[in-house]
Amino acid sequence: MLDIKLIRENPDFVKERLKTRDKALVFIVDEILAVDKERRKLIAEVEQLKAEKNKLSKEIGRLFKEGKKEEAQKAKEEVVAKNERIECLEKELKEVEKRFNNLLLTVPNLPHESVPVGKDETENVEIRKWGEPRKFDFEPLPHWEIGERLGILDFERGAKLAGSRFTVMFKEAARLERALINFMLDIHTKEHGYTEVWSPVLVKPEILIGTGQLPKFEEDLYKVCDEDLYLLPTAEVSLTNLHAGEILKEEELPKYYTAYTPCFRREAGSHGRDVRGILRQHQFDKVELVKIVKPEESYNELEKLVNEAEKILQLLEIPYRVVELCTGDLGFSAAKTYDIEVWIPSQNMYREISSCSNTEDFQARRAKIRYKTKEGKNEFVHTLNGSGLAVGRTLLAVMENYQKPDGSFDIPHVLQRYM
RNA sequence: GGAGAGGUGGCCGAGUGGUCGAAGGCGGCUCCCUGCUAAGGAGUUGAGGGGGUAUUCCCCCUCCGAGGGUUCGAAUCCCUCCCUCUCCGCCA
């Protein structure tokens, strides 16, 4: 959520920044300003009346004690009249507040000034490459063929159990999934200083509002029927919200959390994309990294976060590249994002395996995560998140990059002790 | 699922219709005192929002689990919900 004060005081700046994402966003700023004006006018009026009412009520108490019944009675009538007016105005105010909040909650974050301006993913900027894609002296197979031939990826049975975009894994694939999870968690906790977390995978709507999935992206989420709970689309949601509504001590920061969770996404609007294999599934495993930091440190922390995610691929010895998303491709909550894209031999291209973002205070403002500065002021923290990594995609990358001509594949050196 | 107890400020804990944003204690902060430390003394110490040309000053509104209601007035009374704890049942 953007700071209403910023919108109020620098509307043109906000418009300019939003425009780099999408030109249509400009109009919402004016709408917000109009509603804000209306809102504040009503607040002033209501509070004036309440002040008068409170004063009178105290007066009444005093008059009763002094035995001045008639004067008290007269004052009572006056308060009743004020109450009617207050009730009426408050009803109006409630409507306006609701409109105001809904508007504010649907505005995306402002891109950081360093983010390249561009309309979509074609204008993302490659930052660096790591590793040389392997030269195959045979035609590399896609992972689904490798997996099906070995009998360790079963798409038909996945569909039987749950429908399309669900897969069953057997034997080495199942074990590799588990090995990858443990490997990633070990690296992040032992080498990068993260605290391991295990969290619920069903969460309340207000939690999803905190990180920005709601109210705007409900169609991407699975909702539990009969209960007001949603399946987690990413552990970013639970980890970031661990401190929702809290005021942290300055010396508690920074906080680094990592968790393995399954993630559930409806992938609405991506029909026909990546239909084969396990690249795009409704349910997938992910090890997530979340940082809660002081504002002045967040961009530094973002660079570190990307490096920490990259470390996994380096240890697995799989080539990748890092790209910086342009303004038009930036996610809703992000001020700046780096994607890590892993090399996929069968597609002869790099595909996203991690997305690392600094949301600045955008999520903190929604989730009300603050810290008390040395001066005793409450400030919003900055929150960051990144995949470290998407486990299913890592598994797929291992299978393809380590495949052998006989249709089998090797296990990366660092994973062998986990198998 | 059944029965009971309870949810108050950073924490503990008082408060059962008026001057209570809330006693007292602990903790925190500031100052004083003692050579240092400990002890002691004085003061101060919640959050969100609106306004006054105002982050540091002033005024006001709201907040005692959440939402409704009664009342001129509610932390205090009534209703609904949520959560925590204890016992019973069921269960991985």
Side-chain angles (χ1 to χ4, degrees):
Chain A
M1 188 159 57
L2 299 182
D3 185 358
I4 180 61
K5 282 185 195 128
L6 178 73
I7 301 177
R8 207 140 65 197
E9 283 154 26
N10 301 296
D12 293 332
F13 168 76
V14 172
K15 282 184 197 172
E16 275 314 307
R17 294 270 78 212
L18 285 176
K19 218 193 265 181
T20 64
R21 279 182 177 266
D22 180 355
K23 293 197 172 43
L25 285 166
V26 172
F27 304 107
I28 203 170
V29 174
D30 289 321
E31 206 178 338
I32 287 172
L33 286 171
V35 178
D36 179 49
K37 204 168 162 189
E38 198 180 339
R39 173 180 152 263
R40 285 194 294 165
K41 194 181 130 228
L42 281 168
I43 288 172
E45 238 176 296
V46 168
E47 290 192 349
Q48 174 66 32
L49 281 167
K50 281 191 177 172
E52 290 167 17
K53 164 198 155 165
N54 289 344
K55 222 168 169 181
L56 270 175
S57 283
K58 279 184 188 168
E59 190 81 12
I60 290 168
R62 224 194 56 227
L63 289 171
F64 267 119
K65 259 180 206 146
E66 290 169 8
K68 295 176 180 166
K69 282 249 172 67
E70 265 145 67
E71 279 175 61
Q73 191 54 42
K74 224 174 128 197
K76 261 195 201 183
E77 280 158 27
E78 218 175 307
V79 175
V80 172
K82 281 195 199 299
N83 275 343
E84 269 170 43
R85 180 109 181 88
I86 289 170
E87 200 182 334
C88 174
L89 285 172
E90 274 194 328
K91 215 170 131 193
E92 207 177 321
L93 179 61
K94 216 170 166 180
E95 291 289 307
V96 172
E97 291 283 2
K98 204 172 141 192
R99 217 153 27 103
F100 177 73
N101 284 328
N102 284 341
L103 279 172
L104 217 49
L105 284 175
T106 54
V107 181
N109 201 356
L110 302 183
H112 187 254
E113 56 189 2
S114 69
V115 175
V117 175
K119 62 177 189 315
D120 57 35
E121 70 274 8
T122 60
E123 295 184 65
N124 292 344
V125 177
E126 184 178 293
I127 301 291
R128 60 180 166 269
K129 272 186 180 161
W130 186 93
E132 268 296 311
R134 181 181 149 196
K135 301 265 187 301
F136 290 88
D137 46 17
F138 58 94
E139 189 62 32
L141 296 175
H143 66 279
W144 59 85
E145 279 193 33
I146 302 170
E148 280 184 316
R149 286 186 196 187
L150 292 172
I152 60 174
L153 294 183
D154 192 331
F155 302 100
E156 274 182 35
R157 289 201 173 89
K160 174 161 71 184
L161 294 180
S164 67
R165 292 201 196 285
F166 286 94
T167 304
V168 178
M169 297 195 284
F170 291 99
K171 296 183 283 187
E172 286 80 8
R175 189 178 302 134
L176 180 54
E177 182 86 4
R178 183 157 53 89
L180 283 167
I181 293 165
N182 286 333
F183 164 65
M184 291 178 192
L185 286 173
D186 281 351
I187 297 297
H188 294 313
T189 54
K190 290 175 187 164
E191 294 189 18
H192 299 148
Y194 283 78
T195 301
E196 185 170 345
V197 179
W198 185 94
S199 94
V201 293
L202 287 173
V203 291
K204 298 175 183 177
E206 62 262 37
I207 296 305
L208 288 153
I209 288 172
T211 30
Q213 285 76 15
L214 286 180
K216 219 179 166 181
F217 305 101
E218 176 143 32
E219 71 276 12
D220 294 333
L221 300 168
Y222 286 100
K223 187 168 196 295
V224 172
C225 70
D226 299 331
E227 212 137 356
D228 210 7
L229 292 170
Y230 294 82
L231 279 166
L232 210 65
T234 159
E236 165 199 343
V237 173
S238 46
L239 293 182
T240 305
N241 278 289
L242 284 175
H243 297 289
E246 297 182 16
I247 301 174
L248 300 165
K249 295 194 185 88
E250 184 167 0
E251 56 274 23
E252 287 181 80
L253 300 176
K255 285 186 176 287
Y256 300 159
Y257 291 121
T258 185
Y260 150 70
T261 66
C263 303
F264 303 90
R265 297 183 185 177
R266 291 184 54 201
E267 296 294 340
S270 64
H271 301 293
R273 289 174 63 195
D274 307 309
V275 286
R276 302 208 64 181
I278 60 170
L279 191 87
R280 193 176 300 275
Q281 298 276 284
H282 287 311
Q283 174 183 343
F284 61 95
D285 288 332
K286 186 154 60 72
V287 169
E288 183 74 1
L289 304 172
V290 161
K291 296 186 174 192
I292 298 176
V293 307
K294 288 194 258 180
E296 62 269 26
E297 286 162 11
S298 67
Y299 278 96
N300 206 0
E301 292 281 5
L302 177 61
E303 299 300 324
K304 272 172 63 193
L305 180 69
V306 180
N307 293 156
E308 286 154 357
E310 285 175 73
K311 183 79 183 173
I312 300 295
L313 286 175
Q314 290 171 8
L315 290 169
L316 291 171
E317 299 180 83
I318 301 174
Y320 66 85
R321 64 172 191 163
V322 177
V323 302
E324 179 173 2
L325 300 197
C326 72
T327 51
D329 200 27
L330 225 43
F332 180 76
S333 298
K336 185 183 180 82
T337 298
Y338 293 108
D339 274 5
I340 300 174
E341 298 182 339
V342 71
W343 179 252
I344 305 295
S346 69
Q347 299 188 5
N348 202 38
M349 65 187 290
Y350 291 97
R351 298 296 308 258
E352 179 187 335
I353 197 167
S354 171
S355 191
C356 302
S357 303
N358 182 2
T359 77
E360 299 186 359
D361 63 5
F362 186 82
Q363 292 180 325
R365 184 168 276 114
R366 290 176 159 242
K368 300 181 182 65
I369 310 169
R370 290 168 294 175
Y371 78 105
K372 203 174 270 294
T373 64
K374 284 190 195 73
E375 296 77 46
K377 287 184 72 178
N378 296 328
E379 305 268 12
F380 288 109
V381 298
H382 279 194
T383 64
L384 301 93
N385 64 80
S387 343
L389 309 160
V391 179
R393 288 187 177 183
T394 308
L395 181 139
L396 159 186
V398 167
M399 286 176 73
E400 293 205 10
N401 282 281
Y402 279 86
Q403 63 181 293
K404 297 194 285 193
D406 66 358
S408 66
F409 62 93
D410 286 325
I411 298 296
H413 184 70
V414 286
L415 287 182
Q416 284 171 13
R417 66 187 192 88
Y418 287 92
M419 296 291 286

